[in-house]
């Protein structure tokens, strides 16, 4: 199905993943109504305004997840909505206000706006593997995680994993609202997203790579679920365009622990001083597997981790965030 020329909304457009999504949507011929919290802040919007096609087909709007009705006028006249905005942070002093309210209330706020606009045919929500893996089952190498898994909010609350909780509560509520209001919704559930930056502010997931290479004393001995930002953005568009796409889509190229990741980095950048010591004395947690079957149904051919890591480092260099 070609959606060339159609009008779509992208929430949180200045973010890492959303910037790539906007870039690809413009390349595909869409008109993009992009929401940001402050359209006048060129440090956050300059890279979007410089994209090919932006002059003709990118329109910036001010909207905030926690303001009721904030997205109503933006979504009016849209054929589709990509909801990517959500605070991404692990260290917060007030989890309810800083993470849960914007994620949960914000998602329902946007879906409520979508429900009022008959032209909206599909809503694509950027969820996370955080809403998938934390259900209490053990994650051993023989385990294949797939879209039928759903994280348990009680476990996340007990473990004080507030970001994971915010995403899980938001996705859970989104499915309920979409079902009750006849909204055709699809969720993408990426793991740790890495790859080139379109603007010089690294998201939390790219900061993790920075930590690994900037001489951290130790490396985490828990597995990372890596995926490339370009594949994630492309999957959003495929999930919107493919009529048969439905439900959730796990997006993970490789599950790899800190030491394996460091080995790859060392292969390409032998001069780097990388940590050789795991973060704790707990037993090493072997990597599990994540099903790619549904994602491949979207036509996604995952970028190998080696390429994603190398492109991340090169992009960090170009943005003067590291010197090697
Ligand atoms: P990011 O670069 O930090 O982008 C987050 C975006 O959310 C920013 O544009 C931010 O706007 C916006 N936002 C935060 N609070 C908001 C509010 N109250 N109202 C309106 N906008 C608000 O993070 P990202 O890595 O691209 O993440 C984008 C989405 O992917 C999120 O939903 C995240 O949970 C999900 N995700 C990310 C990863 C990952 O590894 N990076 C993995 C899985 C899922 P400002 O620019 O105004 O702050």
């Amino acid at each position: 199905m070609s959606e060339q020329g159609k009008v779509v909304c992208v929430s949180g457009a200045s973010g890492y993943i959303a910037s790539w999504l906007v870039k690809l949507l413009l390349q595909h011929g869409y008109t993009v109504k992009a929401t940001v919290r402050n359209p006048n802040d060129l440090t956050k919007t300059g890279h979007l305004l410089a994209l090919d096609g932006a002059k003709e087909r990118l329109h910036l709007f001010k909207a905030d997840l926690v303001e009721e009705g904030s997205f109503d006028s933006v979504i009016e006249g849209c054929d589709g909505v990509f909801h990517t905005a959500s605070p991404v942070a692990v260290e917060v002093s007030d989890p309810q206000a800083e993470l849960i309210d914007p994620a949960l209330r914000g998602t329902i706020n946007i879906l409520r706006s979508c429900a009022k606009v008959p032209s909206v045919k599909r809503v694509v929500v950027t969820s996370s593997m955080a809403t998938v893996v934390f259900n209490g089952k053990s994650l051993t190498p023989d385990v294949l995680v797939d879209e039928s898994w759903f994280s348990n909010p009680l476990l996340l609350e007990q473990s004080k994993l507030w970001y994971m909780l915010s995403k899980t509560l938001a996705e859970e509520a989104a499915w309920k609202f979409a079902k009750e209001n006849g909204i055709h919704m699809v969720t993408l559930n990426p793991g740790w997203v890495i790859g080139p930056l379109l603007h010089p502010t690294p998201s939390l997931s790219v900061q993790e790579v920075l930590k690994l290479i900037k001489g951290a004393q130790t490396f985490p001995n828990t597995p990372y679920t890596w995926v490339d930002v370009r594949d994630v953005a492309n999957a959003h568009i495929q999930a919107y365009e493919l009529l048969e796409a439905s439900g959730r889509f796990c997006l993970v190229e490789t599950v790899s622990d800190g030491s394996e990741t460091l080995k790859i980095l060392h292969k390409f950048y032998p001069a780097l001083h990388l940590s050789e010591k795991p973060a704790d004395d707990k037993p090493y947690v072997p990597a599990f597997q994540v099903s790619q079957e549904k994602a491949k149904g979207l036509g996604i051919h995952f970028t190998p981790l080696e390429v994603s890591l190398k492109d991340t480092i090169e992009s960090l260099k170009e943005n003067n965030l590291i010197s090697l």
Side-chain angles (χ1 to χ4, degrees):
M1 177 172 81
S2 169
E3 293 285 332
Q4 295 262 327
K6 296 252 168 149
V7 182
V8 291
C9 168
V10 176
S11 71
S14 59
Y16 174 49
I17 297 172
S19 295
W20 271 100
L21 176 59
V22 171
K23 180 182 165 83
L24 297 192
L25 285 166
L26 291 172
Q27 275 175 8
H28 282 235
Y30 287 88
T31 294
V32 181
K33 293 169 97 173
T35 78
V36 289
R37 277 190 281 185
N38 180 4
N40 299 321
D41 182 354
L42 276 178
T43 59
K44 291 205 169 178
T45 58
H47 67 285
L48 295 176
L49 296 168
L51 291 170
D52 283 348
K55 209 162 150 240
E56 301 81 19
R57 287 177 285 109
L58 176 69
H59 307 283
L60 295 182
F61 295 86
K62 181 180 165 65
D64 196 308
L65 291 169
V66 289
E67 278 171 29
E68 193 91 6
S70 195
F71 292 83
D72 277 1
S73 60
V74 190
I75 289 173
E76 185 68 50
C78 285
D79 302 289
V81 173
F82 295 88
H83 172 40
T84 71
S86 204
V88 182
V90 281
E91 280 164 29
V92 290
S93 48
D94 184 346
Q96 187 68 39
E98 291 173 59
L99 288 169
I100 296 169
D101 282 350
L104 174 58
R105 277 178 46 207
T107 299
I108 297 305
N109 198 7
I110 287 191
L111 289 178
R112 203 170 278 132
S113 305
C114 294
K116 290 183 206 159
V117 178
S119 63
V120 173
K121 302 289 180 299
R122 187 170 292 197
V123 182
V124 179
V125 174
T126 316
S127 189
S128 168
M129 281 302 290
T131 73
V132 177
V133 293
F134 298 98
N135 60 4
K137 290 192 207 165
S138 55
L139 292 166
T140 46
D142 54 312
V143 169
L144 181 68
V145 173
D146 67 18
E147 287 79 2
S148 66
W149 287 45
F150 212 104
S151 295
N152 179 343
L154 277 176
L155 284 181
L156 293 169
E157 194 173 352
Q158 280 159 7
S159 312
K160 299 188 176 7
L161 293 170
W162 304 121
Y163 167 73
M164 286 78 171
L165 179 63
S166 74
K167 296 298 286 180
T168 302
L169 292 176
E171 193 190 318
E172 197 175 58
W175 283 118
K176 185 167 182 288
F177 187 94
K179 203 169 159 205
E180 286 170 0
N181 292 275
I183 294 174
H184 188 158
M185 185 181 88
V186 176
T187 68
L188 279 317
N189 299 67
W192 283 88
V193 184
I194 54 168
L197 307 163
L198 291 181
H199 65 96
T201 314
S203 78
L204 199 77
S205 47
V206 174
Q207 285 174 32
E208 196 65 23
V209 178
L210 265 176
K211 265 198 264 169
L212 287 175
I213 62 173
K214 273 196 151 175
Q217 297 294 307
T218 59
F219 62 81
N221 60 354
T222 48
Y224 291 103
T225 50
W226 299 116
V227 63
D228 194 285
V229 67
R230 295 160 289 195
D231 297 338
V232 174
N234 184 24
H236 278 69
I237 298 181
Q238 299 311 317
Y240 175 66
E241 292 188 347
L242 276 176
L243 280 183
E244 60 273 28
S246 68
R248 313 166 87 202
F249 291 86
C250 291
L251 298 175
V252 173
E253 196 274 329
T254 302
V255 187
S256 138
D257 71 279
S259 71
E260 283 173 292
T261 308
L262 289 172
K263 259 185 229 157
I264 299 174
L265 287 168
H266 191 256
K267 186 168 115 190
F268 292 119
Y269 303 96
L272 278 174
H273 292 288
L274 302 169
S275 163
E276 288 172 10
K277 203 170 150 296
D280 53 44
D281 296 328
K282 287 186 195 149
Y284 160 67
V285 185
F288 51 95
Q289 304 163 62
V290 179
S291 170
Q292 295 185 338
E293 206 179 311
K294 270 199 87 185
K296 285 190 174 159
L298 292 176
I300 304 304
H301 301 286
F302 285 102
T303 307
L305 175 61
E306 293 200 356
V307 176
S308 305
L309 276 174
K310 204 160 184 280
D311 290 352
T312 308
I313 305 291
E314 291 305 313
S315 179
L316 290 170
K317 273 163 56 179
E318 278 161 29
N319 284 287
N320 297 319
L321 292 163
I322 49 166
S323 57
L324 289 176

